[in-house]
Amino acid sequence: LTGSQEASAHSSSKPKKVMVIGGDGYCGWATALHLSNKGYEVAIVDNLVRRLYDHQLGLDSLTPITSIQNRVRRWKALTGKTIQLYVGDICDFEFLSEAFKSFEPDAAVHFGEQRSAPYSMIDRSRAVYTQHNNVIGTLNVLFAIKEYSEECHLVKLGTMGEYGTPNIDIEEGFITITHNGRTDTLPYPKQASSFYHLSKVHDSHNIAFTCKAWGIRATDLNQGVVYGLKTDETAMHEELSNRFDYDAVFGTALNRFCVQAAVGHPLTVYGKGGQVCEIIHLKFVLCNLFIIKLAIANPAKPGEFRVFNQFTEQFSVNELAKLVTAAGAKLGLDVQTKSVPNPRVEAEEHYYNAKHTKLIELGLVPHLLSGLAT
Amino acid sequence: LTGSQEASAHSSSKPKKVMVIGGDGYCGWATALHLSNKGYEVAIVDNLVRRLYDHQLGLDSLTPITSIQNRVRRWKALTGKTIQLYVGDICDFEFLSEAFKSFEPDAAVHFGEQRSAPYSMIDRSRAVYTQHNNVIGTLNVLFAIKEYSEECHLVKLGTMGEYGTPNIDIEEGFITITHNGRTDTLPYPKQASSFYHLSKVHDSHNIAFTCKAWGIRATDLNQGVVYGLKTDETAMHEELSNRFDYDAVFGTALNRFCVQAAVGHPLTVYGKGGQVCEIIHLKFVLCNLFIIKLAIANPAKPGEFRVFNQFTEQFSVNELAKLVTAAGAKLGLDVQTKSVPNPRVEAEEHYYNAKHTKLIELGLVPHLLSGLAT
Ligand SMILES: NC(=O)c1ccc[n+]([C@@H]2O[C@H](COP(=O)([O-])OP(=O)(O)OC[C@H]3O[C@@H](n4cnc5c(N)ncnc54)[C@H](O)[C@@H]3O)[C@@H](O)[C@H]2O)c1
Ligand SMILES: NC(=O)c1ccc[n+]([C@@H]2O[C@H](COP(=O)([O-])OP(=O)(O)OC[C@H]3O[C@@H](n4cnc5c(N)ncnc54)[C@H](O)[C@@H]3O)[C@@H](O)[C@H]2O)c1
């Protein structure tokens, strides 16, 4: 991104205040640092429950991560910038209300959900937990905005997985349908394939309703799978390091493949490997126009429900494995691939063509992974 | 309905077992009695929370209703038939599991939700309660079927309000879309307009997924507004009387109008009164092909997610008021109508054409309300 495309945090006299919900997580931590670095006033809201899932399942980030308190202290020591910390559960409305009343955010970027599809499918209690945590948490955020910060712009993280794999092109949030001689633009039909993905579908419906009913301003980012580890800010000190998940529950395909290649294990492709996933580098999640220029500096209008599909490239799992194999070869690694039975309920080969034109139109010049293999 | 269209409860050797979840409520109680009368083995599952809402809001049924224990005792005394009673919350999975394990239902008809749109819009805690109660309750029912009664057919009550008021015809659950030269049949887009209606949208998405993922057999009945009080069974004794809600929170338009006409109050029409609602008489909810012949005797196939729009007529609110006025005139009542500000977020005049062809095709010969005024 060129500098001119980036918005200033100081367009008015005082810096914009951004609440990063889920700011101790993979996307949220990098976002909080990046926004703080750019001059925004940042508060993190997180109940740290993600660290508990890791303990309970015996998983860990590949990169050691320190406590959120240490992270924020280290950031202050290095840059002089303060990130406020509200440790608590957004399903607890009293806690969330206090955070809204004391911080008074101009924008809330909401990453604070249970975000693993496999986790949501482990058993009944985790399925129910996932839907309760995500749906009720988001409802509370909507009510907090309505009660305490009516002008606050909600930037909500959705997922490309909300759409499933229809046999027609995937549009951005809405589709114009002509039927029996009449036409209307309606929400794009959703066919999610895990209790986690379904929780995002429920969120989208709830948010769209509150935009219409209460005039909430919201941007729903249907994000592709994020890859990559370092950003300018997280690379500044080991105590600022981001988490890196490579396990079967929280590790996404590309991160998992890279670790497998590095340690000499075969890449594990589920079933036929024809499943398509859309990907985006962590740096783009931060630097791209949505979260900063667009989603925060140019918020949705009151009552507007904007939907963006946020990814830069789409690959089949087999293609991703080939890219990692080629990249490994350059480093002198002999990377093998093996197929393992697919634990998911999904078609292993299907039509897939998702639009993300709004992102391109707005001037994003992505750094593409497909360059890697050439 | 002619007798030949009704299914027998004894097509195999032993009577079919039907669990009526929400069996202490308006639709559920009448359904439980009707099924018991027809020879099905019936169990009611209900936590009686609806009686609590009434206490808390200072509301009451127009018709005095006795305790569920008395109701079931009276039914046994009159007919010799036993209705089993499981008093508990379906959000409590331990309770629900015990009910499934001990009763072993062949079908579960699920009415057990908080069903008032105005109630869900009173405040945050009731909005959250409604979505939690309905979504988690239904998830638990799906998991109970999967764990304990894999063959059990779920008949779930949805609402016509899931569709909102699109500018194109409303189909039954699915719509075939041709887009950029490709075609697919996808879930009909949903635009619900209250936290209650949204909870039903969430349920539909969750159920559709479990049909695909686990092979659950389910029928989703998108039901119109139910009117009427007496059925053959509830008319047998005053202790079998059904509830009749006429208040602003739980009373639906037509029931409210009838009471207003009877007591000489003007009919209260919200705003312009152009809003369309689809209606169905309580007797049809019971006698119609769905719940008995179709939904119970001919269940959905494993993995099938069937959707029916269950109503017989559609009227604008103004037309309903006119019908009640005309019916009142025949009884010598001078019925007035007044417009009051609309408490809902809805277009007061809109295109509306909803299909319910599957119901007609299956042979239902409805007794129409429009006959009343002529
Ligand atoms: N990582 C990806 O590839 C990806 C792709 C698409 C969408 N997303 C979405 O982006 C968001 C962030 O993803 P991530 O990879 O950073 O996840 P993550 O698990 O690393 O971070 C989520 C954070 O939210 C917090 N949280 C969860 N429930 C909370 C609650 N009730 N109250 C307060 N805090 C709570 C967790 O403690 C955690 O720190 C998620 O909503 C996810 O669905 C991520
Ligand atoms: N009445 C209508 O006009 C209408 C129209 C369309 C759809 N429906 C649907 O039909 C169903 C029944 O409607 P009704 O008018 O009979 O409602 P009702 O309120 O009279 O009955 C619902 C019953 O469910 C029980 N219940 C609620 N939550 C429960 C829980 N967690 N565990 C156990 N029991 C629980 C209540 O105690 C109550 O007895 C609802 O799902 C409703 O949305 C009704």
Side-chain angles (χ1 to χ4, degrees):
Chain A
L1 287 184
T2 67
S4 70
Q5 287 173 323
E6 294 217 353
S8 152
H10 304 271
S11 30
S12 61
S13 50
K14 64 184 174 65
K16 289 245 182 187
K17 292 179 175 184
V18 185
M19 178 183 276
V20 181
I21 303 172
D24 187 45
Y26 172 61
C27 300
W29 175 240
T31 302
L33 290 185
H34 188 72
L35 290 173
S36 176
N37 209 17
K38 294 283 174 209
Y40 291 88
E41 209 176 302
V42 175
I44 285 176
V45 172
D46 201 305
N47 64 348
L48 314 180
V49 69
R50 179 53 208 285
R51 293 173 185 251
L52 179 65
Y53 312 150
D54 289 356
H55 292 311
Q56 289 175 339
L57 297 174
L59 306 173
D60 209 349
S61 165
L62 184 66
T63 47
I65 55 170
T66 183
S67 73
I68 186 67
Q69 291 81 2
N70 284 342
R71 285 173 146 189
V72 165
R73 227 177 280 131
R74 174 62 58 193
W75 180 246
K76 172 88 178 179
L78 284 171
T79 64
K81 293 176 197 287
T82 302
I83 292 179
Q84 292 188 47
L85 198 57
Y86 296 89
V87 176
D89 188 338
I90 61 169
C91 292
D92 170 357
F93 192 66
E94 250 182 82
F95 157 77
L96 187 65
S97 301
E98 289 311 317
F100 265 81
K101 283 191 275 188
S102 87
F103 185 65
E104 299 183 329
D106 300 302
V109 188
H110 178 15
F111 296 104
E113 300 203 326
Q114 190 302 96
R115 71 113 175 102
S116 160
Y119 185 92
S120 76
M121 300 299 289
I122 292 175
D123 54 21
R124 187 200 66 89
S125 91
R126 288 183 175 93
V128 164
Y129 166 79
T130 300
Q131 293 214 346
H132 176 91
N133 186 62
N134 297 2
V135 174
I136 306 303
T138 299
L139 278 179
N140 278 347
V141 171
L142 293 166
F143 274 95
I145 291 174
K146 174 171 179 264
E147 307 269 305
Y148 308 114
S149 304
E150 235 175 327
E151 290 301 306
C152 176
H153 176 212
L154 173 63
V155 181
K156 168 65 173 45
L157 272 290
T159 150
M160 288 301 294
E162 292 184 35
Y163 298 114
T165 53
N167 192 39
I168 59 173
D169 293 345
I170 293 173
E171 301 297 328
E172 295 193 90
F174 299 89
I175 181 168
T176 299
I177 303 174
T178 298
H179 180 58
N180 299 344
R182 301 180 64 93
T183 298
D184 200 358
T185 298
L186 296 174
Y188 197 96
K190 302 291 176 73
Q191 301 182 103
S193 67
S194 77
F195 290 113
Y196 154 72
H197 289 105
L198 284 158
S199 75
K200 297 281 190 183
V201 172
H202 306 340
D203 283 342
S204 297
H205 282 101
N206 283 341
I207 297 169
F209 167 67
T210 60
C211 291
K212 209 188 262 182
W214 303 337
I216 298 276
R217 37 176 107 219
T219 303
D220 200 359
L221 296 176
N222 287 324
Q223 188 170 265
V225 175
V226 184
Y227 69 97
L229 177 61
K230 289 196 175 163
T231 66
D232 293 346
E233 295 81 16
T234 66
M236 283 170 66
H237 189 281
E238 63 174 19
E239 282 198 335
L240 299 181
S241 173
N242 205 353
R243 61 179 310 127
F244 191 84
D245 302 302
Y246 63 105
D247 57 83
V249 177
F250 283 94
T252 48
L254 190 53
N255 282 351
R256 210 171 60 229
F257 286 173
C258 293
V259 173
Q260 288 170 328
V263 301
H265 282 181
L267 313 186
T268 47
V269 165
Y270 294 150
K272 294 184 186 164
Q275 312 89 321
V276 172
C277 65
E278 331 66 25
I279 61 167
I280 184 163
H281 193 283
L282 182 58
K283 287 197 182 187
F284 288 115
V285 174
L286 308 182
C287 307
N288 82 39
L289 295 169
F290 292 112
I291 287 191
I292 297 197
K293 176 144 182 163
L294 207 149
I296 298 178
N298 299 313
K301 289 188 280 293
E304 194 186 3
F305 177 61
R306 287 194 304 203
V307 183
F308 294 104
N309 293 346
Q310 173 167 274
F311 64 93
T312 49
E313 292 169 282
Q314 56 192 33
F315 292 100
S316 74
V317 174
N318 284 332
E319 287 165 343
L320 277 185
K322 277 195 199 123
L323 285 170
V324 173
T325 305
K330 284 194 191 167
L331 302 170
L333 298 170
D334 175 24
V335 182
Q336 304 295 322
T337 294
K338 78 167 179 207
S339 167
V340 299
N342 192 346
R344 300 174 191 205
V345 183
E346 60 186 1
E348 289 172 5
E349 286 171 321
H350 53 77
Y351 176 75
Y352 200 82
N353 184 26
K355 303 294 175 62
H356 54 139
T357 40
K358 293 191 205 164
L359 189 143
I360 302 297
E361 274 166 19
L362 283 155
L364 178 79
V365 186
H367 205 82
L368 296 182
L369 181 69
S370 35
L372 258 183
T374 59
Chain B
L1 288 182
T2 67
S4 70
Q5 286 174 325
E6 295 215 353
S8 153
H10 304 270
S11 31
S12 62
S13 51
K14 63 184 173 67
K16 289 244 183 189
K17 291 178 176 188
V18 184
M19 178 182 276
V20 180
I21 303 172
D24 187 43
Y26 172 62
C27 300
W29 174 240
T31 302
L33 289 186
H34 188 72
L35 291 172
S36 177
N37 210 16
K38 292 283 174 208
Y40 291 89
E41 209 176 301
V42 175
I44 285 176
V45 173
D46 201 304
N47 64 349
L48 315 182
V49 69
R50 178 52 208 285
R51 294 173 183 251
L52 180 65
Y53 311 150
D54 288 355
H55 292 313
Q56 289 175 339
L57 297 174
L59 306 174
D60 208 348
S61 166
L62 183 66
T63 46
I65 54 170
T66 184
S67 73
I68 185 70
Q69 291 81 2
N70 283 343
R71 286 173 147 189
V72 165
R73 228 177 280 133
R74 175 60 58 191
W75 179 247
K76 171 88 179 177
L78 284 172
T79 64
K81 292 175 197 285
T82 302
I83 292 179
Q84 291 188 47
L85 199 56
Y86 296 89
V87 175
D89 189 338
I90 61 168
C91 292
D92 170 357
F93 192 66
E94 250 182 82
F95 157 76
L96 188 64
S97 301
E98 289 310 317
F100 264 82
K101 283 191 274 187
S102 86
F103 185 66
E104 300 185 325
D106 299 301
V109 187
H110 178 15
F111 296 104
E113 301 202 324
Q114 190 302 97
R115 72 113 174 105
S116 160
Y119 185 93
S120 76
M121 300 300 289
I122 293 175
D123 56 21
R124 187 201 65 87
S125 91
R126 288 184 176 91
V128 164
Y129 165 78
T130 299
Q131 293 214 346
H132 176 91
N133 186 62
N134 297 2
V135 174
I136 306 303
T138 299
L139 279 178
N140 278 348
V141 170
L142 293 166
F143 274 96
I145 292 175
K146 174 170 179 266
E147 308 270 303
Y148 308 115
S149 303
E150 234 175 329
E151 289 301 306
C152 176
H153 175 212
L154 174 63
V155 180
K156 168 67 173 47
L157 273 289
T159 149
M160 288 299 296
E162 293 185 35
Y163 299 113
T165 53
N167 192 38
I168 58 173
D169 293 344
I170 294 173
E171 301 297 328
E172 296 194 86
F174 299 89
I175 181 170
T176 299
I177 304 175
T178 299
H179 181 58
N180 299 342
R182 302 180 63 93
T183 298
D184 201 357
T185 298
L186 296 173
Y188 197 97
K190 301 291 176 74
Q191 301 183 103
S193 66
S194 78
F195 290 113
Y196 154 71
H197 289 104
L198 284 157
S199 74
K200 296 283 188 180
V201 172
H202 307 341
D203 283 342
S204 296
H205 282 101
N206 282 341
I207 297 169
F209 167 67
T210 60
C211 290
K212 210 189 258 182
W214 303 337
I216 299 276
R217 40 175 106 218
T219 302
D220 200 358
L221 296 178
N222 288 324
Q223 187 170 265
V225 175
V226 183
Y227 68 97
L229 175 61
K230 289 198 175 161
T231 65
D232 293 346
E233 295 81 15
T234 66
M236 283 170 65
H237 190 279
E238 65 175 19
E239 281 198 336
L240 299 181
S241 173
N242 205 353
R243 62 180 310 130
F244 190 83
D245 302 303
Y246 63 104
D247 57 84
V249 177
F250 283 94
T252 48
L254 189 53
N255 283 350
R256 211 171 58 230
F257 287 173
C258 293
V259 173
Q260 289 171 328
V263 301
H265 282 180
L267 313 187
T268 48
V269 165
Y270 295 151
K272 294 186 187 163
Q275 312 89 320
V276 173
C277 66
E278 330 67 24
I279 61 168
I280 185 165
H281 193 282
L282 181 59
K283 288 198 181 186
F284 289 114
V285 173
L286 309 183
C287 307
N288 83 39
L289 294 168
F290 291 113
I291 289 191
I292 296 197
K293 176 146 182 163
L294 207 151
I296 298 177
N298 300 313
K301 290 188 279 291
E304 192 185 5
F305 178 60
R306 287 193 303 201
V307 183
F308 295 104
N309 293 345
Q310 173 168 275
F311 63 93
T312 49
E313 293 168 281
Q314 55 192 33
F315 293 100
S316 75
V317 173
N318 284 331
E319 288 165 341
L320 278 185
K322 276 193 202 127
L323 285 171
V324 173
T325 304
K330 285 196 193 169
L331 302 171
L333 298 170
D334 175 24
V335 182
Q336 304 294 322
T337 295
K338 79 170 178 203
S339 168
V340 299
N342 192 346
R344 302 177 189 200
V345 183
E346 59 186 1
E348 289 172 6
E349 287 171 319
H350 52 77
Y351 176 75
Y352 200 82
N353 185 26
K355 303 294 176 63
H356 54 139
T357 40
K358 292 191 205 164
L359 189 144
I360 302 296
E361 272 165 21
L362 283 156
L364 179 78
V365 185
H367 203 84
L368 296 181
L369 182 69
S370 35
L372 258 184
T374 59

